[in-house]
Amino acid sequence: MRVPLSWLAEFVDLAPGTTSDDVHAALVKVGLEEEEVHSFELSGPIVVGEVLEFVEEPQSNGKTIRWCQVRVAPDGQTAADGGDAVHGIVCGALNFFVGDKVVVTLPGAVLPGPFPIAPRKTYGHVSDGMIASVRELGIGDDHDGILRLSTLGLDPEVGTDAIALLGLDDEAVEINVTPDRGYAFSIRGVAREYSHATGATFRDPAAHGALTPSANEGFPVAFADDAPIHGRAGVSVFSTRIVRGIDATRPTPPWMVARLKLAGIRSISLPVDITNYVMLELGQPTHGYDLDKLSGGITVRRATPGEKITTLDEQVRALNTEDLLITDESGAIGLAGVMGGADTEISDTTSNVLIEAANFDPVSIARSARRHKLPSEAAKRFERGVDPQIAQAATARVAQLLVDLAGGTADAAGSLTGEAVAATAILLPNGYVSGLIGVDYSDDEIRGSLAEVGGTIADADGGLLVTPPSWRPDITDKSDLAEEVARIVGYERIPSVLPVAPAGRGLTREQRIRRTVADTLAAAGSTEIIAFPFLPKAQNDLFGAAEALEVPQIKVANALDASAPYLRTTLLPGLIEAAKRNLSRGLTDVALYEQGLVFTPVAGAQYGQAELPSGVQRPSAEQLAELNAGIPPQPRHVAALIVGNVVSKQPGQGAIPAGIADALAIVDQIALATGARIEIAQGRHKAMHPGRTAELRVAGQSVGFAGELLPQIALDADLPRVVVVVELDLDAVIALAEPLVEAAVIGTFPAATQDLTLLVGTEVPAAAVLAAVRDGAGELLEELHLVDDYRGAGLEPGQKSLTFALRFRAADRTLTAAEASEAKLAGAARAAELLGAATRE
């Protein structure tokens, strides 16, 4: 909400010298969030000038300019820029005449842009200033010609400050209005809040003596809501007034144009501007109908099946039976609370106007606005709640302005249909406010605060009975009353005390391990991302299962992106998309990881079928169990991706591209962080490179895979041929890991090292040979790893030679070479027994 300061000052006293920063600071004290300050961003000298004469001069480029003599100060006086009273100015517009009063920006002025004005030579003349258009002054979009002040009904003295004349010396503060404080979408509401913050006198514009309510009879209005939403009638109050004989072509006064512009609303025409002005002033949306285009009285009802309406934006809209309509005998003439209809629109020929102000159900208006994608200013206010007592004041205010500014005559005919629902009194128990807020408030402070916000207070057994004011539909509970006391008395009274965590509380084992995994991968050089959790079905099918062509998936009912309506079953597509985006921006070496939930529904299971409980009480244990049963499994995965080089080219060192070894290194990092023994075995996956894919297991259970993507899949994603990926079910890894990781004892006796070379068939995995050697070597074996895999000359076809480095150590003595050799040979024997391995001499 943008609030022009001059407008605010009409309803609350602003101390002399009050700045926009002061107003923002005061409003922040009562819980309104500060946004920006808006102004017209221009400075003088900008004055009223009179065109004395001009000469039209055709130019070689086909354009005709006018060399004008313009009086910018009374005869015999110095101009505001220190120059002569008459300035020569070049102007390209042709819509003005000798004798016209215009706005002249003199040298030294600055227009929005910023666009500084200075004497400049153009078209063979020195132009000593500029005659301004509406758009150049920042008060409209018209740039077809310069602004003639007579079109605004103005005839000021030459040399008058045009900035003050047009209201361009004002500025507006902008605040963020939360959904529960719809009353602050008005000057009336913000002025009241400023009064709460500063103690300044507040004058309610809705209670002004000139706003006499209309008669309760005179124009027929009927309610026919046969299908209320949630049992709430679509309309409760409907007020009308009639003004006859208006001149709809009259210009909107400059002060109103300036205020609307600062408030973020463009000027359209005088009748429309007046309804917008009153909406901003009082917070009550109003609408004007061309009375002569109406057929009979007005009926407020729901749309019928197949019904349509042409709204003011010239769009034909198919209506839903939930839509609330304003209708006459001809049919729909307005989408209630959202936008009026084109058939009864006020035009330049309109003479007689029916003014309407109503109170509509917020839910009904919000649904219609979203259904038709019409987030209008009126709907924004109705869906947050409008004061039901203000409709008559709003129609009276519009009528008054139409009489004063458009030359109309207010008719006695009017109507007030319906009655505002009275607010429900709330019991505020003694001691409740102080107990909830943690501040010792006196009884006078509590009563005074609630009275200040407009509440009606009565004594009751055990406390106070408080009736909220009509403009505060958000106050529905005793906690809301307590919040108002804290807000009005001042938030600075609330002490800042950090809560003390109960002993024995903190992160769970799973939370600690997940954080350790993230820290480990980040410390190793990877960057964490958070990817979009929705995917196309094909992406889930490709990466979500090793072999299955399709995987069970959950489709979102109202997807943000129609091309990606399924909840993800894997993290890899998000990493691939992020890598693609980074490569397109020139980052060729990328290492990424993500921890996040995936969704793995059971095939054939039904989800989301449980009935949602009421929001007014805590669900029972049975209801919670039923709701949880309706949610698909959501395990937490961790995935990583590397493209490009893991070591950059440098002096004495060539670049080292990423490969499967780097995928396995990431697996080792995750194993260290979780304390799990992750076993690596030859694997298969339909999205992975055959022979360069590892299946990852913990305690014999498959928990993920690692390796390189199929080159074609990488190329289709605009990535290099080699893309290293890892994905593990982190929840499963943590669950299967040993709950307590013990540090290995550091041996104090010397180690004995041995090498062992075994011949096996090429189809035998090296990991299986390593496991057999470890099993056979016994307790003396401290370290074992593969150092060479040879295939070629000197070997039989179908054979490979695997060389292992072994380290032996005893805890209580120095091993002899014979003991180490004996253990090594035991390992070789075990490999021979299980896998047919032969020792290579």
Side-chain angles (χ1 to χ4, degrees), residues 2 21 62 76 161 192 272 365 388 446 474 493 507 521 544 556 571 601 623 635 688 737 815:
R2 298 181 182 184
D21 289 341
D161 182 359
R192 183 182 282 109
V272 175
I365 303 308
I446 294 173
D474 57 305
R493 285 275 299 275
L507 298 177
L521 294 177
V556 179
L571 301 181
Q623 288 176 312
M688 304 294 289
L815 288 178

Side-chain angles (χ1 to χ4, degrees), residues 691-715:
R692 298 185 186 178
T693 302
E695 181 185 359
L696 309 176
R697 302 171 183 163
V698 177
Q701 179 177 324
S702 180
V703 295
F705 60 91
E708 300 176 10
L709 283 183
L710 275 172
Q712 189 57 52
I713 292 177
L715 294 175

Side-chain angles (χ1 to χ4, degrees), residues 667-668 670-672 674-680 696-701 703 733 736-738 741 770 774:
V667 174
D668 288 341
I670 295 173
L672 287 172
T674 58
R677 179 186 287 273
I678 301 180
E679 302 163 358
I680 298 172
L696 309 176
R697 302 171 183 163
V698 177
Q701 179 177 324
V703 295
V733 172
L736 295 170
E738 292 293 335
V741 178
L770 185 145
R774 177 185 288 116

Side-chain angles (χ1 to χ4, degrees), residues 233-306:
V235 59
S236 57
V237 175
F238 200 100
S239 173
T240 67
R241 284 291 291 262
I242 293 175
V243 178
R244 302 181 186 274
I246 71 165
D247 181 358
T249 64
R250 283 193 183 183
T252 303
W255 58 267
M256 183 177 285
V257 173
R259 286 182 174 180
L260 290 174
K261 177 69 175 179
L262 282 176
I265 294 180
R266 65 184 180 92
S267 175
I268 297 174
S269 67
L270 179 58
V272 175
D273 290 349
I274 287 173
T275 58
N276 284 334
Y277 187 85
V278 172
M279 175 185 68
L280 293 172
E281 185 172 85
L282 299 179
Q284 168 69 62
T286 62
H287 187 69
Y289 302 89
D290 188 325
L291 182 63
D292 298 325
K293 297 177 182 178
L294 289 174
S295 301
I298 282 178
T299 300
V300 184
R301 61 169 173 82
R302 301 286 174 180
T304 58

Side-chain angles (χ1 to χ4, degrees), residues 22-75:
D22 297 332
V23 174
H24 262 150
L27 296 177
V28 166
K29 288 175 60 178
V30 287
L32 294 172
E33 183 180 346
E34 172 184 348
E35 291 287 344
E36 299 182 49
V37 175
H38 300 271
S39 66
F40 288 99
E41 299 178 349
L42 47 71
S43 60
I46 301 176
V47 300
V48 174
E50 181 182 5
V51 180
L52 300 178
E53 62 179 5
F54 58 79
V55 178
E56 294 189 351
E57 299 179 355
Q59 303 298 311
S60 59
N61 60 3
K63 182 178 181 179
T64 298
I65 62 97
R66 286 179 173 180
W67 170 238
C68 309
Q69 299 301 310
V70 183
R71 183 179 298 282
V72 295
D75 192 20

Side-chain angles (χ1 to χ4, degrees), residues 200-463:
T201 302
F202 169 67
R203 297 172 291 278
D204 190 350
H208 196 280
L211 303 180
T212 305
S214 61
N216 290 343
E217 55 188 23
F219 190 87
V221 175
F223 299 163
D225 184 3
D226 298 328
I229 299 175
H230 299 322
R232 292 168 57 98
V235 59
S236 57
V237 175
F238 200 100
S239 173
T240 67
R241 284 291 291 262
I242 293 175
V243 178
R244 302 181 186 274
I246 71 165
D247 181 358
T249 64
R250 283 193 183 183
T252 303
W255 58 267
M256 183 177 285
V257 173
R259 286 182 174 180
L260 290 174
K261 177 69 175 179
L262 282 176
I265 294 180
R266 65 184 180 92
S267 175
I268 297 174
S269 67
L270 179 58
V272 175
D273 290 349
I274 287 173
T275 58
N276 284 334
Y277 187 85
V278 172
M279 175 185 68
L280 293 172
E281 185 172 85
L282 299 179
Q284 168 69 62
T286 62
H287 187 69
Y289 302 89
D290 188 325
L291 182 63
D292 298 325
K293 297 177 182 178
L294 289 174
S295 301
I298 282 178
T299 300
V300 184
R301 61 169 173 82
R302 301 286 174 180
T304 58
E307 193 169 8
K308 296 182 179 181
I309 186 175
T310 302
T311 46
L312 290 174
D313 57 0
E314 301 299 330
Q315 297 294 314
V316 178
R317 302 184 184 277
L319 298 172
N320 185 283
T321 54
E322 276 193 356
D323 289 329
L324 191 68
L325 301 180
I326 311 297
T327 68
D328 65 2
E329 293 178 359
S330 67
I333 59 173
L335 191 56
V338 180
M339 184 174 285
D343 293 342
T344 56
E345 179 182 8
I346 294 176
S347 66
D348 289 348
T349 61
T350 297
S351 177
N352 303 318
V353 177
L354 175 72
I355 308 157
E356 163 246 306
N359 191 264
F360 298 114
D361 174 51
V363 172
S364 181
I365 303 308
R367 289 190 178 185
S368 290
R370 285 157 178 75
R371 183 181 300 116
H372 296 285
K373 297 181 174 61
L374 276 176
S376 65
E377 289 291 327
K380 183 165 65 175
R381 286 162 173 80
F382 278 125
E383 64 188 23
R384 288 164 172 81
V386 170
D387 184 353
Q389 302 285 1
I390 205 174
Q392 278 191 296
T395 55
R397 176 64 164 150
V398 173
Q400 173 197 338
L401 290 173
L402 285 173
V403 170
D404 294 345
L405 303 179
T409 302
D411 197 342
S415 63
L416 176 63
T417 305
E419 185 177 355
V421 177
T424 302
I426 302 168
L427 177 63
L428 183 64
N430 292 329
Y432 177 79
V433 176
S434 297
L436 181 65
I437 306 299
V439 176
D440 188 15
Y441 295 110
S442 68
D443 184 62
D444 288 343
E445 286 177 323
I446 294 173
R447 287 175 176 269
S449 299
L450 297 177
E452 188 173 339
V453 298
T456 303
I457 304 169
D459 292 318
D461 291 339

